[in-house]
Amino acid sequence: MIWQSKHITQHGLKSKKIILDQTIEIKYLSPSPETEYIAIIGGGPKGFYALERLVTELKDAKNATNLEIHIFNTNSFFACGQNYHPDQPDYLLINYAIGNIDAWEAPQALQIVPQRLNLTEWIKHHRHPHCPEVNPRDFASRELVGYYLMDCFQHVLQAVPKNVSIRLISTQVEDIRESTSTYILYAHDQRLPFAYESTLLVTGNSYHNFDLENTQQYTHITHFNSAYPIRHLDLIPDQADVAIQGYGLTFTDVALHLTEGRGGRFEYQHNELIYIPSGREPILYPYSRSNLMMIPRSGMLPEEKYELLFFTDHYIDSVQMRNRENKISFKKDIVPILKKEIQYAYNRLACEDDSLTELEVIDKLFFPNKDLDSQQLENYHQYMLEITQYIQDEAAKGISKSPFMLAVHACRACLLQMAKVYNFCGLDGKSHKYFDRKWSGNMNRLSFGPPTENSKKIHALLKAGYIQAKYGKLPAFRFNSNGLELFNDYYTKTFQYHIDGRIAKPNLAAANHHLYGNLFKSGMVQELINDAYHTGSIAIHPDGTLIGKENSMLYVYGTPTEGNVLDNDTLSRKSYNFGNIWAHKTASLVTTKHKKEYEYSL
C-alpha cells in the first residue's frame, strides 16, 4: 500500500493551513529590549526537531526571560523542507517504509507534547474508514509525510511555554555577522533589527551545481540547474528531447513527473507493469558517471538490519588501535573487509556452482557495465532493459531467496557502519577523498534506491521508449548553433533542454551556497581540510560547533555537517543529533543569563 493525502481525513490535514496562516515577513516584526532572540535558519524537519527540543528544555525552566524564536525558511511549508512539502505530486514517494519514520524524540527523554504519534500510528489515527489496514512496511508519498511533519510541528507550537514566542518567517538569510556575544542576520541585503543570542544553521539540501551555468548565454538552450520545485519542469514542451544528468532518486522524480504527471498512466497487464502514454511526454536521455540505475528498496524495518559478521565494531576498534598515530587507510584497512562481507552475504544464498569470488561479487553489484564491448555500448538501451529486468526479478525474490539482494542488504549495513570509520576525519586525507569520489555514490546507489513500485515504473518507461538509455559512457559536452551537444565514442545528440538531476554537494570555495559563501569569505566558517583533501564542507567539532569559533553559539545541524559525518540527509533524529546539543546549550544560556541579571538587580 502507498499512502497519500487522499487517504487521510481533513482533520488530519488541517495543520498545513494553520501553519501557512502563521507565516509572516520579517518586516512586520520589531525588537523589544525586554526580549531575548534565538534564530533557527532552515525550517525543514531538522529545524523542527531542534525547536521541539529547545522549547521542551525551556518548559520547566525557572526565571527564564521572555524569549522569541525566529525560524527562517524559504517558503511557508515549515517542518517539511523541499523534500516533503505537501504541495507536490502524490506519485513522488519516500524510499523507505513508513515504519522507519518517527518525528519524536525517544520516549524516555523529557517531552512537551503528550500525544506523539509516529507516521504509522498517525496514518492509522487519521485514515478514512474505508482504507485498508496500515502496515509499517507500507510506503507513502512525500506530500503525505509533509502533512505528518506539519501536524507534529503544530502540536509543538501549541505547547510552547508562556514566556516563549515562535515566529515563522518566510525569507532567505544571506549573511551573519558577529556583534559582541550576539549575531546579526542579513536578508535581501538588509540588516535585520535583532541581536540573536544563539543561532542554528540547518539549511538542508540547498547547494547548487555550476557545471552548466554558462548555458545562460545561449538563448536556444533551457537548462534547469535543479529539478526542484518539480513543477518548474512543466515549462518543457510536449515531446521534447530532454537530457538529464544523474540516474538517482531525482531522476526517478523527473521521469515520473514528465510522464505520469502529464496524464500517462501505469497498468498491470499479464503481471507486467505497462505504461500507457498521454501523448504529452518528453523523451528523456539520462547520463551519469556510472550510467546505472539505483537498486529498488523493499519495505524493510529498522529491526531487520543485516547483521555484519566481519565489518564489526570489534574490527573497527582493532583497526583504530593499530592506526592510532596514523589515520585509517580505506584501501588497506576497509576495502578488503567490505569485499569479504558482501561476498559472504551473496554466497550464503548462492548455489555452490554459482558462488562468486570477492572481485566477481563487487563487479556484479558495483560495476556490472565495466567490461561491455563496443556493440553493447552502441546498443546500451537494450543492455539497460536487460539489467533492470534482472534487478526487478531479484527484488521480487527478496533477501531470503536472492543472493544479489542479500548482498545489497549487506552493502547497506556496511555503508551505515562506515560512519564509525569516516566521521570527523577518521580516514586519512587520500582515503577520505577516494571514498567520497569512488565508493560513496556507488554504495548509495545500491543502498538507498526508490521503492520497488517506482523502480518498476522506470523499467516500464524504458521499455516504452520514453527513457532512452543511450549513453553507456559518460558523455562530454559542447555548445553548437542547435543546442547542447552530448557526445561520446558511441552516441551523439543535441538538446535544447537539459536538467541537472544531481543533489549538489557543498563547495565553500566555489560559493555554491550564498549564505555559506559569505560566511566563508568573512572567516565565520572554515573549510574542512583533511591532510591535503579540501572537502568543500564546513569544519565542525563533534558537538556541532564551528571550528575556529569554539566559544560561540553558532551551531550547524543536518546536511551542512556532511563531510564531517557520513549521510546526515535523513529524517532520523538518532544520527548526529547536533540539534539536541544546541537546544540544551541555548536553554542553559538564556536561563542562566536571566538568573544572573535578576540576582544582580537585587
Side-chain angles (χ1 to χ4, degrees):
M1 175 69 182
I2 296 175
W3 294 94
Q4 301 166 336
S5 60
K6 65 185 178 183
H7 301 123
I8 304 299
T9 63
Q10 285 303 307
H11 179 75
L13 306 178
K14 63 180 174 51
S15 292
K16 172 187 171 182
K17 184 177 185 308
I18 295 172
I19 291 173
L20 294 182
D21 289 344
Q22 291 184 38
T23 304
I24 59 174
E25 296 180 39
I26 190 69
K27 64 183 179 181
Y28 296 116
L29 296 175
S30 57
S32 166
E34 291 81 27
T35 302
E36 304 256 11
Y37 294 93
I38 304 297
I40 298 176
I41 302 174
K46 293 194 173 178
F48 155 50
Y49 298 163
L51 173 72
E52 185 270 334
R53 280 297 91 191
L54 177 57
V55 297
T56 300
E57 292 258 2
L58 293 169
K59 181 180 70 167
D60 298 321
K62 296 180 181 179
N63 300 322
T65 184
N66 290 328
L67 190 68
E68 192 164 293
I69 304 170
H70 292 179
I71 309 177
F72 295 89
N73 203 37
T74 55
N75 56 52
S76 299
F77 299 112
F78 284 82
C80 302
Q82 286 288 5
N83 284 348
Y84 303 102
H85 70 82
D87 186 25
Q88 62 180 311
D90 60 12
Y91 45 77
L92 305 182
L93 308 181
I94 58 173
N95 66 330
Y96 32 80
I98 61 174
N100 293 282
I101 299 177
D102 189 349
W104 302 105
E105 191 60 271
Q108 60 268 28
L110 184 67
Q111 304 290 347
I112 195 171
V113 175
Q115 187 183 36
R116 301 177 303 279
L117 304 179
N118 61 35
L119 180 58
T120 305
E121 294 165 340
W122 185 84
I123 293 173
K124 287 180 181 178
H125 185 73
H126 292 292
R127 67 187 175 90
H128 287 296
H130 63 270
C131 289
E133 291 298 315
V134 184
N135 188 317
R137 296 182 186 278
D138 292 340
F139 283 85
S141 62
R142 296 210 295 269
E143 50 99 34
L144 179 62
V145 176
Y147 277 110
Y148 165 68
L149 292 168
M150 293 185 92
D151 194 52
C152 296
F153 186 57
Q154 175 60 16
H155 282 296
V156 172
L157 296 181
Q158 292 173 343
V160 296
K162 291 182 180 180
N163 61 316
V164 178
S165 299
I166 311 294
R167 305 297 186 194
L168 310 181
I169 303 167
S170 179
T171 196
Q172 185 161 325
V173 176
E174 298 168 340
D175 202 358
I176 303 173
R177 306 280 173 83
E178 284 183 293
S179 177
T180 61
S181 60
T182 61
Y183 302 95
I184 305 300
L185 308 187
Y186 290 77
H188 308 296
D189 296 323
Q190 298 291 321
R191 172 177 170 153
L192 305 187
F194 302 92
Y196 294 97
E197 301 285 337
S198 177
T199 299
L200 179 67
L201 299 172
V202 55
T203 50
N205 280 320
S206 50
Y207 302 99
H208 299 286
N209 290 314
F210 291 137
D211 293 14
L212 287 174
E213 282 291 297
N214 57 345
T215 55
Q216 295 175 0
Q217 63 185 291
Y218 299 94
T219 57
H220 58 303
I221 301 171
T222 301
H223 169 64
F224 299 86
N225 65 4
S226 172
Y228 304 106
I230 199 79
R231 295 190 191 279
H232 285 187
L233 303 183
D234 294 343
L235 295 172
I236 297 173
D238 300 351
Q239 302 174 2
D241 291 334
V242 181
I244 175 168
Q245 187 173 8
Y247 262 108
L249 295 173
T250 300
F251 163 70
T252 302
D253 287 354
V254 170
L256 295 181
H257 186 67
L258 295 177
T259 53
E260 188 173 8
R262 295 200 171 190
R265 67 185 192 277
F266 294 91
E267 294 182 358
Y268 278 96
Q269 296 180 8
H270 308 294
N271 294 323
E272 182 181 6
L273 193 64
I274 301 296
Y275 180 67
I276 311 298
S278 67
R280 299 187 53 227
E281 297 85 353
I283 308 298
L284 292 178
Y285 292 77
Y287 67 95
S288 72
R289 285 181 298 176
S290 70
N291 289 302
L292 291 167
M293 299 283 191
M294 299 189 82
I295 305 301
R297 198 171 181 188
S298 61
M300 304 293 291
L301 299 177
E303 58 269 22
E304 296 170 300
K305 179 181 175 181
Y306 182 88
E307 184 177 350
L308 296 168
L309 297 178
F310 306 106
F311 190 30
T312 60
D313 290 349
H314 177 73
Y315 177 79
I316 292 173
D317 290 342
S318 67
V319 171
Q320 290 172 335
M321 287 292 291
R322 290 201 312 267
N323 293 274
R324 185 170 294 179
E325 298 299 324
N326 300 306
K327 296 176 184 177
I328 293 173
S329 165
F330 181 69
K331 286 185 178 180
K332 183 182 76 173
D333 297 318
I334 305 302
V335 170
I337 206 73
L338 288 180
K339 291 180 177 179
K340 184 176 182 180
E341 191 76 68
I342 295 170
Q343 179 208 21
Y344 180 80
Y346 186 94
N347 287 340
R348 276 173 61 183
L349 291 182
C351 299
E352 185 173 345
D353 293 341
D354 297 326
S355 61
L356 300 179
T357 65
E358 289 179 0
L359 180 60
E360 288 170 336
V361 170
I362 294 300
D363 282 350
K364 189 176 185 67
L365 268 68
F366 287 81
F367 316 111
N369 58 350
K370 76 169 189 175
D371 293 324
L372 299 185
D373 58 32
S374 297
Q375 185 176 359
Q376 289 172 307
L377 287 168
E378 289 174 1
N379 194 18
Y380 195 72
H381 185 84
Q382 181 60 37
Y383 168 79
M384 196 64 108
L385 280 171
E386 292 170 359
I387 194 171
T388 53
Q389 183 62 63
Y390 168 79
I391 290 170
Q392 298 303 324
D393 293 343
E394 295 303 302
K397 296 175 186 176
I399 61 172
S400 62
K401 295 182 179 179
S402 166
F404 180 86
M405 293 308 293
L406 187 61
V408 166
H409 193 35
C411 176
R412 184 181 302 116
C414 286
L415 180 56
L416 296 174
Q417 186 77 338
M418 258 305 296
K420 298 172 183 177
V421 177
Y422 179 98
N423 290 353
F424 297 104
C425 298
L427 297 169
D428 63 63
K430 288 183 178 179
S431 295
H432 193 166
K433 181 178 180 179
Y434 178 66
F435 179 79
D436 282 352
R437 304 279 176 87
K438 301 295 184 181
W439 277 78
S440 179
N442 274 311
M443 294 185 80
N444 273 285
R445 181 182 68 81
L446 293 169
S447 303
F448 302 122
T452 301
E453 188 67 16
N454 275 0
S455 185
K456 290 179 180 178
K457 288 181 178 181
I458 295 300
H459 179 72
L461 291 173
L462 269 168
K463 195 168 184 179
Y466 293 98
I467 296 173
Q468 289 288 322
K470 294 293 189 178
Y471 293 102
K473 289 179 64 177
L474 180 67
F477 69 88
R478 59 192 168 213
F479 299 100
N480 59 40
S481 58
N482 294 317
L484 173 67
E485 184 178 88
L486 297 177
F487 63 95
N488 60 23
D489 297 340
Y490 307 98
Y491 190 74
T492 299
K493 187 172 176 61
T494 299
F495 299 90
Q496 283 76 51
Y497 297 90
H498 182 275
I499 302 168
D500 194 323
R502 301 167 299 163
I503 300 299
K505 299 293 186 183
N507 190 333
L508 284 174
N512 69 337
H513 188 288
H514 194 50
L515 171 59
Y516 298 131
N518 286 334
L519 294 180
F520 182 59
K521 185 177 180 181
S522 68
M524 285 281 285
V525 301
Q526 297 180 17
E527 182 182 10
L528 174 64
I529 302 174
N530 185 4
D531 299 334
Y533 173 41
H534 288 249
T535 66
S537 301
I538 298 170
I540 64 170
H541 292 289
D543 63 352
T545 53
L546 299 173
I547 287 179
K549 299 288 182 182
E550 283 76 6
N551 297 317
S552 74
M553 286 301 297
L554 184 59
Y555 280 69
V556 185
Y557 179 32
T559 303
T561 68
E562 291 193 356
N564 298 271
V565 297
L566 180 62
D567 190 25
N568 204 10
D569 180 25
T570 73
L571 278 178
S572 172
R573 293 191 66 148
K574 297 177 181 178
S575 300
Y576 324 123
N577 203 336
F578 307 121
N580 279 19
I581 302 171
W582 169 83
H584 179 73
K585 293 285 188 181
T586 301
S588 298
L589 171 71
V590 296
T591 54
T592 303
K593 180 179 179 180
H594 179 77
K595 182 178 180 181
K596 287 181 178 178
E597 290 176 351
Y598 174 75
E599 290 174 347
Y600 180 78
S601 67
L602 293 177

mmCIF file of all heavy atoms in Angstrom, residues 230-256:
data_model
loop_
_atom_site.group_PDB
_atom_site.id
_atom_site.type_symbol
_atom_site.label_atom_id
_atom_site.label_comp_id
_atom_site.label_asym_id
_atom_site.label_seq_id
_atom_site.Cartn_x
_atom_site.Cartn_y
_atom_site.Cartn_z
ATOM 1 N N ILE A 230 9.615 20.638 -8.533
ATOM 2 C CA ILE A 230 9.428 19.779 -9.690
ATOM 3 C C ILE A 230 8.487 20.389 -10.724
ATOM 4 O O ILE A 230 8.603 20.139 -11.922
ATOM 5 C CB ILE A 230 8.924 18.381 -9.235
ATOM 6 C CG1 ILE A 230 9.159 17.325 -10.313
ATOM 7 C CG2 ILE A 230 7.466 18.430 -8.818
ATOM 8 C CD1 ILE A 230 10.553 16.814 -10.379
ATOM 9 N N ARG A 231 7.561 21.245 -10.290
ATOM 10 C CA ARG A 231 6.586 21.830 -11.225
ATOM 11 C C ARG A 231 7.241 22.833 -12.176
ATOM 12 O O ARG A 231 6.637 23.204 -13.185
ATOM 13 C CB ARG A 231 5.439 22.480 -10.458
ATOM 14 C CG ARG A 231 4.614 21.476 -9.664
ATOM 15 C CD ARG A 231 3.334 22.081 -9.103
ATOM 16 N NE ARG A 231 2.683 21.193 -8.148
ATOM 17 C CZ ARG A 231 1.912 20.164 -8.468
ATOM 18 N NH1 ARG A 231 1.706 19.883 -9.746
ATOM 19 N NH2 ARG A 231 1.344 19.420 -7.539
ATOM 20 N N HIS A 232 8.462 23.267 -11.875
ATOM 21 C CA HIS A 232 9.179 24.140 -12.815
ATOM 22 C C HIS A 232 9.423 23.437 -14.140
ATOM 23 O O HIS A 232 9.547 24.092 -15.188
ATOM 24 C CB HIS A 232 10.516 24.573 -12.217
ATOM 25 C CG HIS A 232 10.380 25.606 -11.144
ATOM 26 N ND1 HIS A 232 11.460 26.229 -10.570
ATOM 27 C CD2 HIS A 232 9.281 26.135 -10.539
ATOM 28 C CE1 HIS A 232 11.036 27.099 -9.664
ATOM 29 N NE2 HIS A 232 9.724 27.038 -9.615
ATOM 30 N N LEU A 233 9.470 22.104 -14.098
ATOM 31 C CA LEU A 233 9.723 21.344 -15.321
ATOM 32 C C LEU A 233 8.526 21.346 -16.262
ATOM 33 O O LEU A 233 8.621 20.865 -17.395
ATOM 34 C CB LEU A 233 10.108 19.905 -14.975
ATOM 35 C CG LEU A 233 11.318 19.731 -14.041
ATOM 36 C CD1 LEU A 233 11.626 18.254 -13.848
ATOM 37 C CD2 LEU A 233 12.533 20.472 -14.573
ATOM 38 N N ASP A 234 7.401 21.898 -15.815
ATOM 39 C CA ASP A 234 6.234 21.999 -16.688
ATOM 40 C C ASP A 234 6.497 22.930 -17.866
ATOM 41 O O ASP A 234 5.735 22.935 -18.842
ATOM 42 C CB ASP A 234 5.010 22.496 -15.896
ATOM 43 C CG ASP A 234 4.558 21.486 -14.846
ATOM 44 O OD1 ASP A 234 4.970 20.309 -14.940
ATOM 45 O OD2 ASP A 234 3.810 21.875 -13.929
ATOM 46 N N LEU A 235 7.573 23.723 -17.806
ATOM 47 C CA LEU A 235 7.945 24.597 -18.922
ATOM 48 C C LEU A 235 8.448 23.798 -20.126
ATOM 49 O O LEU A 235 8.478 24.316 -21.245
ATOM 50 C CB LEU A 235 9.035 25.570 -18.473
ATOM 51 C CG LEU A 235 8.647 26.589 -17.387
ATOM 52 C CD1 LEU A 235 9.882 27.345 -16.912
ATOM 53 C CD2 LEU A 235 7.603 27.563 -17.916
ATOM 54 N N ILE A 236 8.847 22.559 -19.910
ATOM 55 C CA ILE A 236 9.347 21.721 -21.010
ATOM 56 C C ILE A 236 8.184 21.339 -21.916
ATOM 57 O O ILE A 236 7.161 20.812 -21.451
ATOM 58 C CB ILE A 236 10.031 20.463 -20.459
ATOM 59 C CG1 ILE A 236 11.267 20.850 -19.625
ATOM 60 C CG2 ILE A 236 10.438 19.522 -21.592
ATOM 61 C CD1 ILE A 236 11.906 19.690 -18.899
ATOM 62 N N PRO A 237 8.274 21.606 -23.207
ATOM 63 C CA PRO A 237 7.141 21.309 -24.108
ATOM 64 C C PRO A 237 6.943 19.815 -24.315
ATOM 65 O O PRO A 237 7.842 18.998 -24.083
ATOM 66 C CB PRO A 237 7.544 22.002 -25.413
ATOM 67 C CG PRO A 237 9.024 22.129 -25.354
ATOM 68 C CD PRO A 237 9.389 22.262 -23.906
ATOM 69 N N ASP A 238 5.753 19.471 -24.741
ATOM 70 C CA ASP A 238 5.422 18.080 -25.054
ATOM 71 C C ASP A 238 6.375 17.545 -26.114
ATOM 72 O O ASP A 238 6.767 18.250 -27.050
ATOM 73 C CB ASP A 238 3.985 17.974 -25.582
ATOM 74 C CG ASP A 238 2.953 18.466 -24.576
ATOM 75 O OD1 ASP A 238 3.331 18.724 -23.419
ATOM 76 O OD2 ASP A 238 1.771 18.598 -24.953
ATOM 77 N N GLN A 239 6.747 16.283 -25.955
ATOM 78 C CA GLN A 239 7.516 15.527 -26.941
ATOM 79 C C GLN A 239 8.920 16.078 -27.196
ATOM 80 O O GLN A 239 9.579 15.675 -28.152
ATOM 81 C CB GLN A 239 6.727 15.424 -28.257
ATOM 82 C CG GLN A 239 5.370 14.757 -28.072
ATOM 83 C CD GLN A 239 4.527 14.767 -29.325
ATOM 84 O OE1 GLN A 239 4.960 15.247 -30.370
ATOM 85 N NE2 GLN A 239 3.309 14.248 -29.240
ATOM 86 N N ALA A 240 9.405 16.967 -26.317
ATOM 87 C CA ALA A 240 10.774 17.470 -26.470
ATOM 88 C C ALA A 240 11.782 16.404 -26.068
ATOM 89 O O ALA A 240 11.490 15.519 -25.255
ATOM 90 C CB ALA A 240 10.961 18.720 -25.607
ATOM 91 N N ASP A 241 12.963 16.481 -26.641
ATOM 92 C CA ASP A 241 14.075 15.638 -26.199
ATOM 93 C C ASP A 241 14.777 16.357 -25.052
ATOM 94 O O ASP A 241 15.167 17.527 -25.178
ATOM 95 C CB ASP A 241 15.063 15.404 -27.343
ATOM 96 C CG ASP A 241 14.475 14.529 -28.436
ATOM 97 O OD1 ASP A 241 13.566 13.736 -28.129
ATOM 98 O OD2 ASP A 241 14.907 14.657 -29.598
ATOM 99 N N VAL A 242 14.953 15.650 -23.926
ATOM 100 C CA VAL A 242 15.482 16.266 -22.717
ATOM 101 C C VAL A 242 16.640 15.431 -22.188
ATOM 102 O O VAL A 242 16.479 14.232 -21.929
ATOM 103 C CB VAL A 242 14.395 16.389 -21.623
ATOM 104 C CG1 VAL A 242 14.962 17.063 -20.385
ATOM 105 C CG2 VAL A 242 13.178 17.142 -22.147
ATOM 106 N N ALA A 243 17.789 16.053 -22.008
ATOM 107 C CA ALA A 243 18.920 15.379 -21.363
ATOM 108 C C ALA A 243 18.830 15.615 -19.862
ATOM 109 O O ALA A 243 18.475 16.711 -19.422
ATOM 110 C CB ALA A 243 20.238 15.915 -21.901
ATOM 111 N N ILE A 244 19.139 14.596 -19.075
ATOM 112 C CA ILE A 244 19.148 14.741 -17.621
ATOM 113 C C ILE A 244 20.409 14.114 -17.060
ATOM 114 O O ILE A 244 20.723 12.954 -17.364
ATOM 115 C CB ILE A 244 17.885 14.153 -16.957
ATOM 116 C CG1 ILE A 244 18.009 14.223 -15.430
ATOM 117 C CG2 ILE A 244 17.591 12.743 -17.437
ATOM 118 C CD1 ILE A 244 16.731 13.948 -14.689
ATOM 119 N N GLN A 245 21.123 14.884 -16.269
ATOM 120 C CA GLN A 245 22.367 14.416 -15.659
ATOM 121 C C GLN A 245 22.053 13.781 -14.314
ATOM 122 O O GLN A 245 21.598 14.446 -13.392
ATOM 123 C CB GLN A 245 23.344 15.584 -15.490
ATOM 124 C CG GLN A 245 24.725 15.167 -15.029
ATOM 125 C CD GLN A 245 25.699 16.331 -15.036
ATOM 126 O OE1 GLN A 245 25.311 17.476 -15.253
ATOM 127 N NE2 GLN A 245 26.965 16.039 -14.821
ATOM 128 N N GLY A 246 22.292 12.478 -14.217
ATOM 129 C CA GLY A 246 22.018 11.757 -12.979
ATOM 130 C C GLY A 246 21.019 10.646 -13.182
ATOM 131 O O GLY A 246 20.039 10.795 -13.924
ATOM 132 N N TYR A 247 21.263 9.526 -12.492
ATOM 133 C CA TYR A 247 20.377 8.362 -12.553
ATOM 134 C C TYR A 247 19.785 8.043 -11.181
ATOM 135 O O TYR A 247 19.289 6.950 -10.973
ATOM 136 C CB TYR A 247 21.156 7.142 -13.031
ATOM 137 C CG TYR A 247 21.024 6.807 -14.504
ATOM 138 C CD1 TYR A 247 22.083 7.012 -15.386
ATOM 139 C CD2 TYR A 247 19.847 6.262 -15.013
ATOM 140 C CE1 TYR A 247 21.980 6.677 -16.727
ATOM 141 C CE2 TYR A 247 19.731 5.920 -16.351
ATOM 142 C CZ TYR A 247 20.803 6.137 -17.211
ATOM 143 O OH TYR A 247 20.694 5.803 -18.538
ATOM 144 N N GLY A 248 19.840 8.980 -10.247
ATOM 145 C CA GLY A 248 19.449 8.701 -8.874
ATOM 146 C C GLY A 248 17.977 8.948 -8.602
ATOM 147 O O GLY A 248 17.120 8.892 -9.495
ATOM 148 N N LEU A 249 17.673 9.247 -7.338
ATOM 149 C CA LEU A 249 16.284 9.446 -6.921
ATOM 150 C C LEU A 249 15.661 10.655 -7.604
ATOM 151 O O LEU A 249 14.469 10.648 -7.922
ATOM 152 C CB LEU A 249 16.220 9.602 -5.400
ATOM 153 C CG LEU A 249 16.639 8.378 -4.583
ATOM 154 C CD1 LEU A 249 16.687 8.723 -3.104
ATOM 155 C CD2 LEU A 249 15.680 7.209 -4.823
ATOM 156 N N THR A 250 16.462 11.693 -7.842
ATOM 157 C CA THR A 250 15.942 12.866 -8.541
ATOM 158 C C THR A 250 15.532 12.503 -9.959
ATOM 159 O O THR A 250 14.493 12.980 -10.465
ATOM 160 C CB THR A 250 16.992 13.990 -8.562
ATOM 161 O OG1 THR A 250 17.308 14.343 -7.217
ATOM 162 C CG2 THR A 250 16.474 15.211 -9.285
ATOM 163 N N PHE A 251 16.321 11.673 -10.621
ATOM 164 C CA PHE A 251 15.956 11.212 -11.965
ATOM 165 C C PHE A 251 14.605 10.502 -11.947
ATOM 166 O O PHE A 251 13.767 10.714 -12.828
ATOM 167 C CB PHE A 251 17.034 10.278 -12.510
ATOM 168 C CG PHE A 251 16.577 9.450 -13.682
ATOM 169 C CD1 PHE A 251 16.344 10.042 -14.911
ATOM 170 C CD2 PHE A 251 16.360 8.089 -13.538
ATOM 171 C CE1 PHE A 251 15.897 9.280 -15.989
ATOM 172 C CE2 PHE A 251 15.918 7.324 -14.603
ATOM 173 C CZ PHE A 251 15.689 7.927 -15.840
ATOM 174 N N THR A 252 14.369 9.662 -10.935
ATOM 175 C CA THR A 252 13.080 8.981 -10.823
ATOM 176 C C THR A 252 11.944 9.993 -10.706
ATOM 177 O O THR A 252 10.906 9.865 -11.375
ATOM 178 C CB THR A 252 13.076 8.041 -9.608
ATOM 179 O OG1 THR A 252 14.134 7.086 -9.744
ATOM 180 C CG2 THR A 252 11.759 7.300 -9.484
ATOM 181 N N ASP A 253 12.135 11.016 -9.872
ATOM 182 C CA ASP A 253 11.121 12.062 -9.735
ATOM 183 C C ASP A 253 10.840 12.744 -11.067
ATOM 184 O O ASP A 253 9.680 12.962 -11.447
ATOM 185 C CB ASP A 253 11.583 13.119 -8.728
ATOM 186 C CG ASP A 253 11.530 12.640 -7.285
ATOM 187 O OD1 ASP A 253 11.031 11.525 -7.042
ATOM 188 O OD2 ASP A 253 11.993 13.386 -6.402
ATOM 189 N N VAL A 254 11.901 13.104 -11.773
ATOM 190 C CA VAL A 254 11.752 13.798 -13.050
ATOM 191 C C VAL A 254 11.017 12.922 -14.060
ATOM 192 O O VAL A 254 10.084 13.375 -14.747
ATOM 193 C CB VAL A 254 13.129 14.217 -13.594
ATOM 194 C CG1 VAL A 254 13.024 14.716 -15.034
ATOM 195 C CG2 VAL A 254 13.746 15.289 -12.714
ATOM 196 N N ALA A 255 11.433 11.665 -14.163
ATOM 197 C CA ALA A 255 10.824 10.758 -15.134
ATOM 198 C C ALA A 255 9.331 10.590 -14.875
ATOM 199 O O ALA A 255 8.519 10.597 -15.811
ATOM 200 C CB ALA A 255 11.531 9.404 -15.102
ATOM 201 N N LEU A 256 8.942 10.461 -13.614
ATOM 202 C CA LEU A 256 7.521 10.282 -13.296
ATOM 203 C C LEU A 256 6.739 11.572 -13.507
ATOM 204 O O LEU A 256 5.594 11.548 -13.968
ATOM 205 C CB LEU A 256 7.360 9.793 -11.853
ATOM 206 C CG LEU A 256 7.938 8.403 -11.563
ATOM 207 C CD1 LEU A 256 7.687 8.016 -10.113
ATOM 208 C CD2 LEU A 256 7.334 7.361 -12.489
#
